[in-house]
């Protein structure tokens, strides 16, 4: 257990360093998982793949992810974020190396599924850290900061990955990404602790701030993990609460949008507008940059609304349904335009709006099931992973059957509208379960 010699005169802010660590690994995470979309046309030509096979390769990630994110949430709650994320990064680096060594459809499919397995615990880990290290007034903002890594990773990844492919081939690109993930590990081991009271960089003032001004027993990480294991009545609550069930579906729709654009945007720009790889990398930046800006703004607004209303529905629910409605409406003009710049503007708006509520989905799990927030996140992220399989595969099949992307874009709008209706009817977050 850490020393009691706290510095009392000025509050430390080490909790934001923890968010920074998770931000950087999530940037790498999304560069890794999206990288194949920039290489897929080259790989398809090399191995003579069909659009359906491409969809299956892109969707293979979701098969592994749906298993690992669910189990990962349980592992994070039982064994802590430190050990779980350390193991996760090791294994996803191995999966990237196997991808680089692939020699055909079977190996690529397996390597992508293994990457999904390895990356599964990342977001349950982020949720657990925010739950333990941030006060309720800062959670959505902190989650938004950490989750901004998703669009930023995709924005950075677009030009970086395309240039790596041009200069090092697609195989060399995967080796470089594996090395980047491994470079993060020493910082995680040295700086992170599962609970803030075990960190020598956190003083009493910061601890009081994290705990909303309440002095709490300074349990160590092992004692807290043991307490979580003793919780009863968990599973029925996580699978029957209307708010959580609606949150899961909304996050599936969010994931469908994200994986659709992450996996198929480069091919869409190539097939419809005949752009070359370097141009695709540049045009792919705008949607993710706008997504990062609106995600930050959404998190800021959510916490501000909560401070004024002390109401989770006002601060979380409304942000979710409005973001999905706007994203769904912005997709429709893409179906009817034949102008590249018009398509990019509305795709960027759709991506930006769908990402703007990202922090709110995560915050709901912490708000109403704090002591098992990583497990709740694991279930929600499993729905996201199902979208990670469905979006690439369904899109590949629709493009193969119809010969164009119109039906795939219309499906996005229909999914968004279904989520809006369910959220308005059933999404009413409140503190339903008290584990303390």
């Amino acid at each position: 257990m850490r020393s009691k010699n706290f510095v009392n005169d000025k509050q430390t802010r080490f909790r934001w360093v923890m968010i920074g660590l998770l931000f950087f690994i999530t940037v790498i995470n999304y560069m890794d998982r999206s990288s194949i979309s920039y290489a897929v046309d080259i790989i398809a030509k090399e191995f003579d793949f069909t659009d359906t096979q491409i969809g299956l390769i892109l969707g293979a990630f979701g098969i592994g992810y749906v298993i690992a994110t669910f189990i990962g949430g349980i592992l994070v709650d039982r064994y802590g974020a430190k050990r779980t994320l350390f193991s996760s990064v090791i294994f996803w680096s191995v999966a990237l190396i196997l991808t680089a060594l692939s020699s055909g459809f079977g190996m690529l499919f397996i390597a992508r599924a293994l990457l999904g397995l390895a990356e599964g615990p990342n977001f349950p880990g982020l949720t657990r850290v925010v739950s333990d290290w941030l006060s309720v007034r800062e959670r959505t903002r902190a989650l938004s900061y950490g989750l901004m890594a998703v669009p930023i990773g995709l924005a950075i990844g677009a030009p970086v990955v395309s240039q790596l492919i041009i200069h090092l081939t697609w195989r060399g690109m995967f080796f470089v990404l594996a090395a980047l993930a491994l470079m993060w590990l020493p910082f995680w081991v040295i700086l992170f602790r599962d609970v803030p009271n075990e960190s020598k960089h956190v003083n009493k003032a910061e601890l009081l701030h994290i705990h909303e001004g309440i002095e709490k027993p300074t349990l160590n990480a092992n004692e807290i993990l043991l307490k979580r294991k003793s919780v009863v009545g968990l599973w029925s609550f996580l699978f029957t609460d209307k708010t959580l069930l609606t949150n899961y579906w909304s996050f599936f729709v969010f994931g469908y949008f994200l994986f659709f654009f992450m996996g198929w945007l480069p091919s869409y720009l190539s097939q419809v507008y005949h752009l070359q790889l370097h141009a695709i990398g540049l045009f792919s930046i705008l949607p993710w940059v706008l997504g990062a800006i609106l995600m930050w703004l959404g998190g800021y607004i959510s916490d501000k609304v909560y401070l004024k209303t002390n109401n989770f529905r006002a601060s979380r629910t409304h942000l979710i349904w409005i973001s999905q409605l706007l994203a769904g409406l912005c997709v429709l003009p893409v179906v009817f335009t034949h102008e590249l710049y018009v398509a990019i503007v509305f795709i960027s708006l759709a991506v930006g709006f769908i990402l703007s509520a990202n922090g709110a989905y995560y915050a709901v799990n912490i708000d109403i099931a704090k002591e098992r927030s990583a497990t709740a996140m694991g279930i929600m992220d499993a729905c996201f992973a199902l979208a990670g399989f469905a979006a690439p595969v369904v899109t590949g099949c629709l493009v193969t059957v119809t010969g164009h992307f119109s039906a795939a874009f219309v499906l996005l709008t229909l999914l968004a509208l279904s989520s809006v209706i369910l959220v308005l009817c059933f999404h009413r977050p409140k503190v339903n379960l008290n584990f303390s």
Side-chain angles (χ1 to χ4, degrees):
M1 188 177 292
R2 59 169 293 179
S3 168
K4 299 293 184 182
N5 295 320
F6 297 105
V7 179
N8 293 308
D9 55 343
K10 186 177 180 181
Q11 182 193 123
T12 53
R13 298 177 61 83
F14 198 68
R15 61 194 183 278
W16 297 109
V17 176
M18 300 299 97
I19 300 302
L21 279 175
L22 291 163
F23 171 87
F24 281 112
I25 196 56
T26 305
V27 167
I28 296 169
N29 181 305
Y30 263 81
M31 287 178 65
D32 292 348
R33 70 172 69 181
S34 66
S35 56
I36 197 167
S37 65
Y38 297 94
V40 75
D41 284 343
I42 297 172
I43 294 171
K45 290 177 182 177
E46 182 175 330
F47 296 113
D48 196 26
F49 292 154
T50 65
D51 282 334
T52 300
Q53 286 177 305
I54 292 171
L56 287 168
I57 290 170
L58 294 173
F61 177 92
I63 295 174
Y65 197 73
V66 71
I67 299 169
T69 192
F70 176 74
I71 297 174
I74 298 171
L75 292 176
V76 169
D77 277 335
R78 289 180 67 87
Y79 301 109
K82 184 168 187 173
R83 284 180 285 182
T84 306
L85 291 185
F86 180 89
S87 301
S88 172
V89 173
I90 292 288
F91 284 112
W92 96 45
S93 300
V94 171
L96 290 170
I97 293 170
L98 291 175
T99 307
L101 298 174
S102 296
S103 59
F105 175 80
M107 285 190 68
L108 279 167
F109 186 90
I110 292 170
R112 289 294 296 176
L114 288 174
L115 182 65
L117 278 170
E119 291 193 352
N122 188 86
F123 290 103
L126 170 62
T127 306
R128 179 75 269 156
V129 173
V130 170
S131 179
D132 291 334
W133 279 78
L134 277 296
S135 70
V136 66
R137 293 171 293 172
E138 298 172 324
R139 284 176 190 163
T140 310
R141 185 158 35 111
L143 286 163
S144 294
Y145 291 162
L147 293 168
M148 278 172 60
V150 172
I152 289 175
L154 293 169
I156 293 172
V160 169
V161 168
S162 59
Q163 289 301 312
L164 285 173
I165 294 170
I166 291 169
H167 293 290
L168 299 177
T169 76
W170 66 271
R171 297 181 189 275
M173 175 266 293
F174 283 114
F175 283 121
V176 171
L177 293 179
L180 283 175
L182 293 171
M183 288 171 60
W184 174 84
L185 287 175
F187 297 96
W188 181 248
V189 172
I190 293 169
L191 294 175
F192 183 74
R193 298 294 180 269
D194 279 313
V195 287
N197 59 282
E198 288 194 338
S199 173
K200 65 181 180 181
H201 303 289
V202 177
N203 67 6
K204 187 173 183 179
E206 185 172 14
L207 278 176
L208 285 171
H209 176 86
I210 291 169
H211 298 310
E212 301 287 314
I214 300 171
E215 291 259 18
K216 291 193 173 184
T218 54
L219 301 177
N220 62 34
N222 289 333
E223 291 168 332
I224 289 174
L225 293 173
L226 183 62
K227 178 185 175 185
R228 287 179 193 146
K229 292 175 188 178
S230 66
V231 172
V232 296
L234 169 73
W235 294 107
S236 61
F237 175 77
L238 295 182
F239 284 106
T240 59
D241 181 78
K242 291 180 181 178
T243 295
L244 288 178
L245 291 175
T246 308
N247 213 48
Y248 300 157
W249 174 250
S250 298
F251 204 60
F252 171 88
V253 175
F254 165 86
Y256 196 98
F257 268 76
L258 188 62
F259 279 101
F260 174 86
F261 288 113
M262 187 170 65
W264 280 100
L265 180 58
S267 292
Y268 167 77
L269 294 174
S270 175
Q271 293 180 32
V272 177
Y273 295 103
H274 311 293
L275 299 185
Q276 299 299 312
L277 183 59
H278 68 279
I280 290 171
L282 293 174
F283 275 101
S284 298
I285 294 173
L286 180 59
W288 306 116
V289 170
L290 183 59
I293 294 170
L294 292 185
M295 187 184 295
W296 171 83
L297 183 62
Y300 177 82
I301 291 172
S302 178
D303 278 346
K304 282 292 184 182
V305 172
Y306 180 77
L307 281 173
K308 289 187 175 182
T309 66
N310 200 36
N311 185 295
F312 289 139
R313 182 167 169 85
S315 59
R316 317 300 198 220
T317 302
H318 295 329
L319 179 60
I320 290 171
W321 76 261
I322 291 172
S323 72
Q324 296 219 342
L325 177 62
L326 293 174
L329 293 176
C330 284
V331 164
L332 288 179
V334 181
V335 177
F336 301 104
T337 188
H338 299 289
E339 296 292 332
L340 172 62
Y341 291 99
V342 174
I344 286 296
V345 166
F346 280 101
I347 286 171
S348 299
L349 288 171
V351 170
F353 285 130
I354 202 69
L355 283 169
S356 64
N358 201 4
Y361 300 108
Y362 285 69
V364 169
N365 294 316
I366 302 173
D367 294 335
I368 67 178
K370 183 178 186 300
E371 293 302 330
R372 282 296 184 89
S373 56
T375 303
M377 177 59 217
I379 297 169
M380 187 179 82
D381 216 24
C383 298
F384 176 81
L386 288 173
F389 176 75
V393 173
V394 171
T395 302
C397 292
L398 288 174
V399 172
T400 299
V401 171
T402 65
H404 52 75
F405 282 84
S406 297
F409 281 109
V410 171
L411 179 57
L412 288 174
T413 299
L414 294 176
L415 287 170
L417 291 177
S418 74
S419 179
V420 169
I421 293 169
L422 289 172
V423 168
L424 285 172
C425 293
F426 302 111
H427 197 275
R428 303 179 185 279
K430 57 184 178 179
V431 182
N432 291 324
L433 196 60
N434 183 4
F435 291 111
S436 58

